[in-house]
Amino acid sequence: MMTKKEKLNYIFDYLDSLFPDPKCELNYSKDYELLIAVMLSAQTTDKSVNKVTDILFTKYKTLEELDNASLEDISNIIKSIGLYKNKAINLKGIVHKLILEYGGIVPLSKEELVKFPGVGIKTAGVVRAEFFKIPEFPVDTHVERVSKRLGLVNPNDSILEVEEKLKKITPKERQIKAHHQFI
């Protein structure tokens, strides 16, 4: 019988063979574009988000332009993704808060990130891992399901418990890669 560490190493070796160079599927070129894209990705596919952010960030090239955009126009652009009305409101709130309180720069602190509308722990973790390269193991539905099926966490663990346990058992230098591989 394998120890938990041996099992984890076996899983990582297998994932490395399947997905040697995993990466974020969301398209972005600026810190705020990633923050917005991750917020928009809740309950929809990255492919769908990329379609709308391509239009959105081509039409509105700066935070100031997005801040001045009408809620109606943003809603129309992102209408094809789920929960678009709330996401449009959150997008406007993120942009406005970034400009007013952060000088247009996305903060790297998880505590600051979760203060933005529509930004929870998972979104904050993804932004920190992807943009700032801070070791994180954000847990979405896919990561939760895979980690439970592999027996790395308990079947009744909450998402927060799953994240805590995965971060505890996964070496820091491996967390970002493993997150992408689980997805």
Side-chain angles (χ1 to χ4, degrees), residues 62-98:
T62 66
L63 275 173
E64 291 73 18
E65 288 178 16
L66 270 171
D67 195 35
N68 292 324
S70 73
L71 187 59
E72 182 182 6
D73 193 42
I74 290 173
S75 292
N76 285 333
I77 292 171
I78 68 169
K79 197 173 201 165
S80 63
I81 62 173
L83 308 170
Y84 75 93
K85 289 180 183 177
N86 286 338
K87 290 177 181 180
I89 292 167
N90 289 339
L91 190 155
K92 289 286 285 179
I94 288 170
V95 169
H96 200 66
K97 188 174 186 76
L98 273 173

PDB file of all heavy atoms in Angstrom, residues 62-98:
ATOM      1  N   THR A  62      -8.597  50.657 -22.130  1.00  0.00           N
ATOM      2  CA  THR A  62      -8.038  51.082 -20.844  1.00  0.00           C
ATOM      3  C   THR A  62      -9.087  50.933 -19.745  1.00  0.00           C
ATOM      4  O   THR A  62     -10.286  50.824 -20.021  1.00  0.00           O
ATOM      5  CB  THR A  62      -7.593  52.559 -20.886  1.00  0.00           C
ATOM      6  OG1 THR A  62      -8.757  53.387 -21.047  1.00  0.00           O
ATOM      7  CG2 THR A  62      -6.605  52.826 -22.018  1.00  0.00           C
ATOM      8  N   LEU A  63      -8.616  51.001 -18.521  1.00  0.00           N
ATOM      9  CA  LEU A  63      -9.538  50.981 -17.381  1.00  0.00           C
ATOM     10  C   LEU A  63     -10.492  52.163 -17.431  1.00  0.00           C
ATOM     11  O   LEU A  63     -11.685  52.029 -17.133  1.00  0.00           O
ATOM     12  CB  LEU A  63      -8.756  51.033 -16.063  1.00  0.00           C
ATOM     13  CG  LEU A  63      -8.246  49.729 -15.501  1.00  0.00           C
ATOM     14  CD1 LEU A  63      -7.361  49.981 -14.288  1.00  0.00           C
ATOM     15  CD2 LEU A  63      -9.385  48.812 -15.127  1.00  0.00           C
ATOM     16  N   GLU A  64      -9.973  53.311 -17.810  1.00  0.00           N
ATOM     17  CA  GLU A  64     -10.795  54.519 -17.867  1.00  0.00           C
ATOM     18  C   GLU A  64     -11.910  54.368 -18.909  1.00  0.00           C
ATOM     19  O   GLU A  64     -13.043  54.788 -18.665  1.00  0.00           O
ATOM     20  CB  GLU A  64      -9.931  55.755 -18.166  1.00  0.00           C
ATOM     21  CG  GLU A  64      -8.995  56.153 -17.040  1.00  0.00           C
ATOM     22  CD  GLU A  64      -7.787  55.221 -16.861  1.00  0.00           C
ATOM     23  OE1 GLU A  64      -7.438  54.441 -17.795  1.00  0.00           O
ATOM     24  OE2 GLU A  64      -7.201  55.259 -15.762  1.00  0.00           O
ATOM     25  N   GLU A  65     -11.585  53.780 -20.052  1.00  0.00           N
ATOM     26  CA  GLU A  65     -12.610  53.557 -21.076  1.00  0.00           C
ATOM     27  C   GLU A  65     -13.668  52.578 -20.570  1.00  0.00           C
ATOM     28  O   GLU A  65     -14.860  52.775 -20.801  1.00  0.00           O
ATOM     29  CB  GLU A  65     -11.975  53.040 -22.374  1.00  0.00           C
ATOM     30  CG  GLU A  65     -11.178  54.086 -23.122  1.00  0.00           C
ATOM     31  CD  GLU A  65     -10.520  53.544 -24.381  1.00  0.00           C
ATOM     32  OE1 GLU A  65     -10.901  52.456 -24.866  1.00  0.00           O
ATOM     33  OE2 GLU A  65      -9.602  54.226 -24.892  1.00  0.00           O
ATOM     34  N   LEU A  66     -13.239  51.543 -19.863  1.00  0.00           N
ATOM     35  CA  LEU A  66     -14.191  50.589 -19.281  1.00  0.00           C
ATOM     36  C   LEU A  66     -15.042  51.262 -18.209  1.00  0.00           C
ATOM     37  O   LEU A  66     -16.243  50.999 -18.103  1.00  0.00           O
ATOM     38  CB  LEU A  66     -13.452  49.404 -18.656  1.00  0.00           C
ATOM     39  CG  LEU A  66     -13.170  48.221 -19.545  1.00  0.00           C
ATOM     40  CD1 LEU A  66     -12.246  47.223 -18.835  1.00  0.00           C
ATOM     41  CD2 LEU A  66     -14.438  47.522 -19.977  1.00  0.00           C
ATOM     42  N   ASP A  67     -14.431  52.132 -17.435  1.00  0.00           N
ATOM     43  CA  ASP A  67     -15.162  52.842 -16.377  1.00  0.00           C
ATOM     44  C   ASP A  67     -16.245  53.734 -16.980  1.00  0.00           C
ATOM     45  O   ASP A  67     -17.323  53.885 -16.416  1.00  0.00           O
ATOM     46  CB  ASP A  67     -14.185  53.675 -15.539  1.00  0.00           C
ATOM     47  CG  ASP A  67     -14.786  54.139 -14.225  1.00  0.00           C
ATOM     48  OD1 ASP A  67     -15.591  53.391 -13.626  1.00  0.00           O
ATOM     49  OD2 ASP A  67     -14.441  55.249 -13.775  1.00  0.00           O
ATOM     50  N   ASN A  68     -15.942  54.313 -18.129  1.00  0.00           N
ATOM     51  CA  ASN A  68     -16.899  55.206 -18.798  1.00  0.00           C
ATOM     52  C   ASN A  68     -17.902  54.458 -19.674  1.00  0.00           C
ATOM     53  O   ASN A  68     -18.876  55.054 -20.139  1.00  0.00           O
ATOM     54  CB  ASN A  68     -16.152  56.253 -19.642  1.00  0.00           C
ATOM     55  CG  ASN A  68     -15.396  57.237 -18.768  1.00  0.00           C
ATOM     56  OD1 ASN A  68     -15.843  57.610 -17.684  1.00  0.00           O
ATOM     57  ND2 ASN A  68     -14.217  57.645 -19.222  1.00  0.00           N
ATOM     58  N   ALA A  69     -17.678  53.179 -19.912  1.00  0.00           N
ATOM     59  CA  ALA A  69     -18.601  52.389 -20.738  1.00  0.00           C
ATOM     60  C   ALA A  69     -19.938  52.241 -20.024  1.00  0.00           C
ATOM     61  O   ALA A  69     -20.002  52.182 -18.794  1.00  0.00           O
ATOM     62  CB  ALA A  69     -18.005  51.008 -21.012  1.00  0.00           C
ATOM     63  N   SER A  70     -20.991  52.168 -20.805  1.00  0.00           N
ATOM     64  CA  SER A  70     -22.315  52.002 -20.192  1.00  0.00           C
ATOM     65  C   SER A  70     -22.501  50.554 -19.745  1.00  0.00           C
ATOM     66  O   SER A  70     -21.977  49.625 -20.366  1.00  0.00           O
ATOM     67  CB  SER A  70     -23.419  52.393 -21.175  1.00  0.00           C
ATOM     68  OG  SER A  70     -23.556  51.413 -22.185  1.00  0.00           O
ATOM     69  N   LEU A  71     -23.241  50.393 -18.674  1.00  0.00           N
ATOM     70  CA  LEU A  71     -23.566  49.061 -18.172  1.00  0.00           C
ATOM     71  C   LEU A  71     -24.301  48.270 -19.246  1.00  0.00           C
ATOM     72  O   LEU A  71     -24.072  47.064 -19.408  1.00  0.00           O
ATOM     73  CB  LEU A  71     -24.416  49.181 -16.901  1.00  0.00           C
ATOM     74  CG  LEU A  71     -24.700  47.892 -16.152  1.00  0.00           C
ATOM     75  CD1 LEU A  71     -23.413  47.211 -15.702  1.00  0.00           C
ATOM     76  CD2 LEU A  71     -25.595  48.176 -14.960  1.00  0.00           C
ATOM     77  N   GLU A  72     -25.137  48.954 -19.999  1.00  0.00           N
ATOM     78  CA  GLU A  72     -25.899  48.302 -21.072  1.00  0.00           C
ATOM     79  C   GLU A  72     -24.970  47.736 -22.149  1.00  0.00           C
ATOM     80  O   GLU A  72     -25.158  46.605 -22.611  1.00  0.00           O
ATOM     81  CB  GLU A  72     -26.890  49.292 -21.696  1.00  0.00           C
ATOM     82  CG  GLU A  72     -27.740  48.687 -22.784  1.00  0.00           C
ATOM     83  CD  GLU A  72     -28.697  49.705 -23.425  1.00  0.00           C
ATOM     84  OE1 GLU A  72     -28.627  50.903 -23.103  1.00  0.00           O
ATOM     85  OE2 GLU A  72     -29.492  49.259 -24.269  1.00  0.00           O
ATOM     86  N   ASP A  73     -23.957  48.512 -22.538  1.00  0.00           N
ATOM     87  CA  ASP A  73     -23.047  48.035 -23.581  1.00  0.00           C
ATOM     88  C   ASP A  73     -22.218  46.848 -23.077  1.00  0.00           C
ATOM     89  O   ASP A  73     -22.057  45.853 -23.794  1.00  0.00           O
ATOM     90  CB  ASP A  73     -22.130  49.149 -24.078  1.00  0.00           C
ATOM     91  CG  ASP A  73     -21.405  48.754 -25.358  1.00  0.00           C
ATOM     92  OD1 ASP A  73     -22.040  48.156 -26.254  1.00  0.00           O
ATOM     93  OD2 ASP A  73     -20.192  49.028 -25.459  1.00  0.00           O
ATOM     94  N   ILE A  74     -21.733  46.944 -21.855  1.00  0.00           N
ATOM     95  CA  ILE A  74     -20.973  45.826 -21.289  1.00  0.00           C
ATOM     96  C   ILE A  74     -21.858  44.592 -21.213  1.00  0.00           C
ATOM     97  O   ILE A  74     -21.446  43.497 -21.581  1.00  0.00           O
ATOM     98  CB  ILE A  74     -20.381  46.201 -19.914  1.00  0.00           C
ATOM     99  CG1 ILE A  74     -19.258  47.231 -20.101  1.00  0.00           C
ATOM    100  CG2 ILE A  74     -19.860  44.966 -19.190  1.00  0.00           C
ATOM    101  CD1 ILE A  74     -18.704  47.806 -18.833  1.00  0.00           C
ATOM    102  N   SER A  75     -23.091  44.769 -20.752  1.00  0.00           N
ATOM    103  CA  SER A  75     -24.035  43.639 -20.671  1.00  0.00           C
ATOM    104  C   SER A  75     -24.252  43.009 -22.039  1.00  0.00           C
ATOM    105  O   SER A  75     -24.279  41.783 -22.167  1.00  0.00           O
ATOM    106  CB  SER A  75     -25.377  44.100 -20.101  1.00  0.00           C
ATOM    107  OG  SER A  75     -25.251  44.469 -18.756  1.00  0.00           O
ATOM    108  N   ASN A  76     -24.413  43.839 -23.057  1.00  0.00           N
ATOM    109  CA  ASN A  76     -24.620  43.317 -24.410  1.00  0.00           C
ATOM    110  C   ASN A  76     -23.407  42.537 -24.909  1.00  0.00           C
ATOM    111  O   ASN A  76     -23.558  41.523 -25.588  1.00  0.00           O
ATOM    112  CB  ASN A  76     -24.967  44.446 -25.377  1.00  0.00           C
ATOM    113  CG  ASN A  76     -26.394  44.927 -25.206  1.00  0.00           C
ATOM    114  OD1 ASN A  76     -27.267  44.173 -24.777  1.00  0.00           O
ATOM    115  ND2 ASN A  76     -26.638  46.189 -25.521  1.00  0.00           N
ATOM    116  N   ILE A  77     -22.221  43.002 -24.568  1.00  0.00           N
ATOM    117  CA  ILE A  77     -20.998  42.324 -25.013  1.00  0.00           C
ATOM    118  C   ILE A  77     -20.862  40.965 -24.334  1.00  0.00           C
ATOM    119  O   ILE A  77     -20.488  39.979 -24.972  1.00  0.00           O
ATOM    120  CB  ILE A  77     -19.747  43.200 -24.756  1.00  0.00           C
ATOM    121  CG1 ILE A  77     -19.779  44.426 -25.687  1.00  0.00           C
ATOM    122  CG2 ILE A  77     -18.457  42.404 -24.948  1.00  0.00           C
ATOM    123  CD1 ILE A  77     -18.729  45.473 -25.382  1.00  0.00           C
ATOM    124  N   ILE A  78     -21.188  40.885 -23.051  1.00  0.00           N
ATOM    125  CA  ILE A  78     -20.973  39.632 -22.315  1.00  0.00           C
ATOM    126  C   ILE A  78     -22.245  38.794 -22.185  1.00  0.00           C
ATOM    127  O   ILE A  78     -22.267  37.793 -21.465  1.00  0.00           O
ATOM    128  CB  ILE A  78     -20.345  39.893 -20.925  1.00  0.00           C
ATOM    129  CG1 ILE A  78     -21.307  40.620 -19.986  1.00  0.00           C
ATOM    130  CG2 ILE A  78     -19.029  40.646 -21.052  1.00  0.00           C
ATOM    131  CD1 ILE A  78     -20.851  40.663 -18.540  1.00  0.00           C
ATOM    132  N   LYS A  79     -23.267  39.161 -22.908  1.00  0.00           N
ATOM    133  CA  LYS A  79     -24.582  38.511 -22.808  1.00  0.00           C
ATOM    134  C   LYS A  79     -24.553  36.994 -23.048  1.00  0.00           C
ATOM    135  O   LYS A  79     -25.389  36.268 -22.530  1.00  0.00           O
ATOM    136  CB  LYS A  79     -25.537  39.171 -23.802  1.00  0.00           C
ATOM    137  CG  LYS A  79     -26.987  38.905 -23.541  1.00  0.00           C
ATOM    138  CD  LYS A  79     -27.854  39.740 -24.466  1.00  0.00           C
ATOM    139  CE  LYS A  79     -29.238  39.847 -23.862  1.00  0.00           C
ATOM    140  NZ  LYS A  79     -30.032  40.891 -24.465  1.00  0.00           N
ATOM    141  N   SER A  80     -23.596  36.515 -23.812  1.00  0.00           N
ATOM    142  CA  SER A  80     -23.563  35.091 -24.154  1.00  0.00           C
ATOM    143  C   SER A  80     -23.068  34.203 -23.004  1.00  0.00           C
ATOM    144  O   SER A  80     -23.159  32.986 -23.086  1.00  0.00           O
ATOM    145  CB  SER A  80     -22.690  34.865 -25.384  1.00  0.00           C
ATOM    146  OG  SER A  80     -21.355  35.246 -25.110  1.00  0.00           O
ATOM    147  N   ILE A  81     -22.544  34.813 -21.927  1.00  0.00           N
ATOM    148  CA  ILE A  81     -22.106  33.993 -20.790  1.00  0.00           C
ATOM    149  C   ILE A  81     -23.149  34.059 -19.679  1.00  0.00           C
ATOM    150  O   ILE A  81     -23.925  34.997 -19.582  1.00  0.00           O
ATOM    151  CB  ILE A  81     -20.710  34.421 -20.257  1.00  0.00           C
ATOM    152  CG1 ILE A  81     -20.709  35.855 -19.743  1.00  0.00           C
ATOM    153  CG2 ILE A  81     -19.651  34.224 -21.316  1.00  0.00           C
ATOM    154  CD1 ILE A  81     -19.424  36.263 -19.062  1.00  0.00           C
ATOM    155  N   GLY A  82     -23.159  33.050 -18.846  1.00  0.00           N
ATOM    156  CA  GLY A  82     -24.131  32.974 -17.763  1.00  0.00           C
ATOM    157  C   GLY A  82     -23.983  34.099 -16.754  1.00  0.00           C
ATOM    158  O   GLY A  82     -22.891  34.616 -16.540  1.00  0.00           O
ATOM    159  N   LEU A  83     -25.101  34.463 -16.155  1.00  0.00           N
ATOM    160  CA  LEU A  83     -25.149  35.488 -15.103  1.00  0.00           C
ATOM    161  C   LEU A  83     -24.593  36.834 -15.566  1.00  0.00           C
ATOM    162  O   LEU A  83     -24.016  37.575 -14.785  1.00  0.00           O
ATOM    163  CB  LEU A  83     -24.391  34.993 -13.854  1.00  0.00           C
ATOM    164  CG  LEU A  83     -24.778  33.626 -13.319  1.00  0.00           C
ATOM    165  CD1 LEU A  83     -23.800  33.156 -12.252  1.00  0.00           C
ATOM    166  CD2 LEU A  83     -26.188  33.639 -12.760  1.00  0.00           C
ATOM    167  N   TYR A  84     -24.782  37.135 -16.838  1.00  0.00           N
ATOM    168  CA  TYR A  84     -24.135  38.309 -17.425  1.00  0.00           C
ATOM    169  C   TYR A  84     -24.554  39.626 -16.781  1.00  0.00           C
ATOM    170  O   TYR A  84     -23.757  40.566 -16.706  1.00  0.00           O
ATOM    171  CB  TYR A  84     -24.336  38.351 -18.944  1.00  0.00           C
ATOM    172  CG  TYR A  84     -25.722  38.753 -19.378  1.00  0.00           C
ATOM    173  CD1 TYR A  84     -26.023  40.080 -19.654  1.00  0.00           C
ATOM    174  CD2 TYR A  84     -26.744  37.811 -19.509  1.00  0.00           C
ATOM    175  CE1 TYR A  84     -27.300  40.450 -20.047  1.00  0.00           C
ATOM    176  CE2 TYR A  84     -28.006  38.170 -19.897  1.00  0.00           C
ATOM    177  CZ  TYR A  84     -28.285  39.495 -20.159  1.00  0.00           C
ATOM    178  OH  TYR A  84     -29.545  39.865 -20.546  1.00  0.00           O
ATOM    179  N   LYS A  85     -25.800  39.724 -16.305  1.00  0.00           N
ATOM    180  CA  LYS A  85     -26.237  40.988 -15.701  1.00  0.00           C
ATOM    181  C   LYS A  85     -25.451  41.289 -14.429  1.00  0.00           C
ATOM    182  O   LYS A  85     -24.947  42.405 -14.251  1.00  0.00           O
ATOM    183  CB  LYS A  85     -27.737  40.955 -15.411  1.00  0.00           C
ATOM    184  CG  LYS A  85     -28.596  41.004 -16.656  1.00  0.00           C
ATOM    185  CD  LYS A  85     -30.069  40.960 -16.321  1.00  0.00           C
ATOM    186  CE  LYS A  85     -30.901  40.928 -17.601  1.00  0.00           C
ATOM    187  NZ  LYS A  85     -32.334  40.821 -17.313  1.00  0.00           N
ATOM    188  N   ASN A  86     -25.350  40.306 -13.547  1.00  0.00           N
ATOM    189  CA  ASN A  86     -24.568  40.501 -12.320  1.00  0.00           C
ATOM    190  C   ASN A  86     -23.087  40.675 -12.630  1.00  0.00           C
ATOM    191  O   ASN A  86     -22.411  41.484 -11.989  1.00  0.00           O
ATOM    192  CB  ASN A  86     -24.753  39.318 -11.366  1.00  0.00           C
ATOM    193  CG  ASN A  86     -26.099  39.324 -10.693  1.00  0.00           C
ATOM    194  OD1 ASN A  86     -26.754  40.359 -10.583  1.00  0.00           O
ATOM    195  ND2 ASN A  86     -26.528  38.167 -10.241  1.00  0.00           N
ATOM    196  N   LYS A  87     -22.595  39.928 -13.605  1.00  0.00           N
ATOM    197  CA  LYS A  87     -21.182  40.029 -13.963  1.00  0.00           C
ATOM    198  C   LYS A  87     -20.855  41.393 -14.551  1.00  0.00           C
ATOM    199  O   LYS A  87     -19.777  41.934 -14.298  1.00  0.00           O
ATOM    200  CB  LYS A  87     -20.782  38.909 -14.923  1.00  0.00           C
ATOM    201  CG  LYS A  87     -20.759  37.543 -14.239  1.00  0.00           C
ATOM    202  CD  LYS A  87     -20.426  36.439 -15.221  1.00  0.00           C
ATOM    203  CE  LYS A  87     -20.419  35.087 -14.541  1.00  0.00           C
ATOM    204  NZ  LYS A  87     -20.094  33.986 -15.459  1.00  0.00           N
ATOM    205  N   ALA A  88     -21.768  41.980 -15.297  1.00  0.00           N
ATOM    206  CA  ALA A  88     -21.548  43.324 -15.850  1.00  0.00           C
ATOM    207  C   ALA A  88     -21.462  44.345 -14.709  1.00  0.00           C
ATOM    208  O   ALA A  88     -20.599  45.236 -14.721  1.00  0.00           O
ATOM    209  CB  ALA A  88     -22.665  43.697 -16.820  1.00  0.00           C
ATOM    210  N   ILE A  89     -22.339  44.210 -13.722  1.00  0.00           N
ATOM    211  CA  ILE A  89     -22.310  45.111 -12.557  1.00  0.00           C
ATOM    212  C   ILE A  89     -20.998  44.925 -11.795  1.00  0.00           C
ATOM    213  O   ILE A  89     -20.345  45.904 -11.410  1.00  0.00           O
ATOM    214  CB  ILE A  89     -23.536  44.854 -11.645  1.00  0.00           C
ATOM    215  CG1 ILE A  89     -24.813  45.284 -12.365  1.00  0.00           C
ATOM    216  CG2 ILE A  89     -23.386  45.571 -10.311  1.00  0.00           C
ATOM    217  CD1 ILE A  89     -26.105  44.795 -11.704  1.00  0.00           C
ATOM    218  N   ASN A  90     -20.595  43.671 -11.591  1.00  0.00           N
ATOM    219  CA  ASN A  90     -19.331  43.401 -10.898  1.00  0.00           C
ATOM    220  C   ASN A  90     -18.134  43.949 -11.673  1.00  0.00           C
ATOM    221  O   ASN A  90     -17.210  44.505 -11.087  1.00  0.00           O
ATOM    222  CB  ASN A  90     -19.157  41.894 -10.670  1.00  0.00           C
ATOM    223  CG  ASN A  90     -20.102  41.359  -9.628  1.00  0.00           C
ATOM    224  OD1 ASN A  90     -20.632  42.089  -8.787  1.00  0.00           O
ATOM    225  ND2 ASN A  90     -20.342  40.063  -9.669  1.00  0.00           N
ATOM    226  N   LEU A  91     -18.162  43.791 -12.991  1.00  0.00           N
ATOM    227  CA  LEU A  91     -17.081  44.296 -13.834  1.00  0.00           C
ATOM    228  C   LEU A  91     -16.930  45.805 -13.656  1.00  0.00           C
ATOM    229  O   LEU A  91     -15.830  46.302 -13.435  1.00  0.00           O
ATOM    230  CB  LEU A  91     -17.363  43.940 -15.298  1.00  0.00           C
ATOM    231  CG  LEU A  91     -16.256  44.175 -16.306  1.00  0.00           C
ATOM    232  CD1 LEU A  91     -16.434  43.245 -17.488  1.00  0.00           C
ATOM    233  CD2 LEU A  91     -16.191  45.598 -16.781  1.00  0.00           C
ATOM    234  N   LYS A  92     -18.049  46.505 -13.714  1.00  0.00           N
ATOM    235  CA  LYS A  92     -18.002  47.963 -13.530  1.00  0.00           C
ATOM    236  C   LYS A  92     -17.476  48.309 -12.136  1.00  0.00           C
ATOM    237  O   LYS A  92     -16.686  49.240 -11.973  1.00  0.00           O
ATOM    238  CB  LYS A  92     -19.397  48.571 -13.734  1.00  0.00           C
ATOM    239  CG  LYS A  92     -19.893  48.577 -15.168  1.00  0.00           C
ATOM    240  CD  LYS A  92     -19.207  49.623 -16.012  1.00  0.00           C
ATOM    241  CE  LYS A  92     -19.734  51.010 -15.669  1.00  0.00           C
ATOM    242  NZ  LYS A  92     -19.059  52.059 -16.458  1.00  0.00           N
ATOM    243  N   GLY A  93     -17.898  47.536 -11.131  1.00  0.00           N
ATOM    244  CA  GLY A  93     -17.434  47.776  -9.765  1.00  0.00           C
ATOM    245  C   GLY A  93     -15.944  47.526  -9.600  1.00  0.00           C
ATOM    246  O   GLY A  93     -15.244  48.284  -8.921  1.00  0.00           O
ATOM    247  N   ILE A  94     -15.447  46.463 -10.229  1.00  0.00           N
ATOM    248  CA  ILE A  94     -14.015  46.157 -10.185  1.00  0.00           C
ATOM    249  C   ILE A  94     -13.216  47.302 -10.792  1.00  0.00           C
ATOM    250  O   ILE A  94     -12.245  47.790 -10.209  1.00  0.00           O
ATOM    251  CB  ILE A  94     -13.713  44.828 -10.923  1.00  0.00           C
ATOM    252  CG1 ILE A  94     -14.212  43.638 -10.116  1.00  0.00           C
ATOM    253  CG2 ILE A  94     -12.216  44.701 -11.231  1.00  0.00           C
ATOM    254  CD1 ILE A  94     -14.176  42.311 -10.867  1.00  0.00           C
ATOM    255  N   VAL A  95     -13.629  47.724 -11.975  1.00  0.00           N
ATOM    256  CA  VAL A  95     -12.907  48.774 -12.693  1.00  0.00           C
ATOM    257  C   VAL A  95     -12.900  50.072 -11.879  1.00  0.00           C
ATOM    258  O   VAL A  95     -11.850  50.709 -11.711  1.00  0.00           O
ATOM    259  CB  VAL A  95     -13.538  48.998 -14.093  1.00  0.00           C
ATOM    260  CG1 VAL A  95     -13.008  50.245 -14.753  1.00  0.00           C
ATOM    261  CG2 VAL A  95     -13.301  47.770 -14.971  1.00  0.00           C
ATOM    262  N   HIS A  96     -14.049  50.442 -11.364  1.00  0.00           N
ATOM    263  CA  HIS A  96     -14.161  51.691 -10.602  1.00  0.00           C
ATOM    264  C   HIS A  96     -13.292  51.636  -9.339  1.00  0.00           C
ATOM    265  O   HIS A  96     -12.571  52.590  -9.030  1.00  0.00           O
ATOM    266  CB  HIS A  96     -15.631  51.949 -10.254  1.00  0.00           C
ATOM    267  CG  HIS A  96     -15.919  53.351  -9.910  1.00  0.00           C
ATOM    268  ND1 HIS A  96     -15.822  54.382 -10.814  1.00  0.00           N
ATOM    269  CD2 HIS A  96     -16.288  53.916  -8.724  1.00  0.00           C
ATOM    270  CE1 HIS A  96     -16.121  55.518 -10.225  1.00  0.00           C
ATOM    271  NE2 HIS A  96     -16.400  55.271  -8.941  1.00  0.00           N
ATOM    272  N   LYS A  97     -13.337  50.524  -8.626  1.00  0.00           N
ATOM    273  CA  LYS A  97     -12.545  50.364  -7.403  1.00  0.00           C
ATOM    274  C   LYS A  97     -11.045  50.374  -7.720  1.00  0.00           C
ATOM    275  O   LYS A  97     -10.256  50.969  -6.981  1.00  0.00           O
ATOM    276  CB  LYS A  97     -12.946  49.068  -6.707  1.00  0.00           C
ATOM    277  CG  LYS A  97     -12.354  48.861  -5.327  1.00  0.00           C
ATOM    278  CD  LYS A  97     -12.959  47.610  -4.690  1.00  0.00           C
ATOM    279  CE  LYS A  97     -12.517  47.426  -3.274  1.00  0.00           C
ATOM    280  NZ  LYS A  97     -13.181  48.320  -2.331  1.00  0.00           N
ATOM    281  N   LEU A  98     -10.661  49.714  -8.819  1.00  0.00           N
ATOM    282  CA  LEU A  98      -9.247  49.718  -9.217  1.00  0.00           C
ATOM    283  C   LEU A  98      -8.745  51.139  -9.448  1.00  0.00           C
ATOM    284  O   LEU A  98      -7.655  51.501  -9.000  1.00  0.00           O
ATOM    285  CB  LEU A  98      -9.040  48.893 -10.491  1.00  0.00           C
ATOM    286  CG  LEU A  98      -8.795  47.415 -10.333  1.00  0.00           C
ATOM    287  CD1 LEU A  98      -8.780  46.727 -11.688  1.00  0.00           C
ATOM    288  CD2 LEU A  98      -7.505  47.135  -9.578  1.00  0.00           C
TER     289      LEU A  98
END
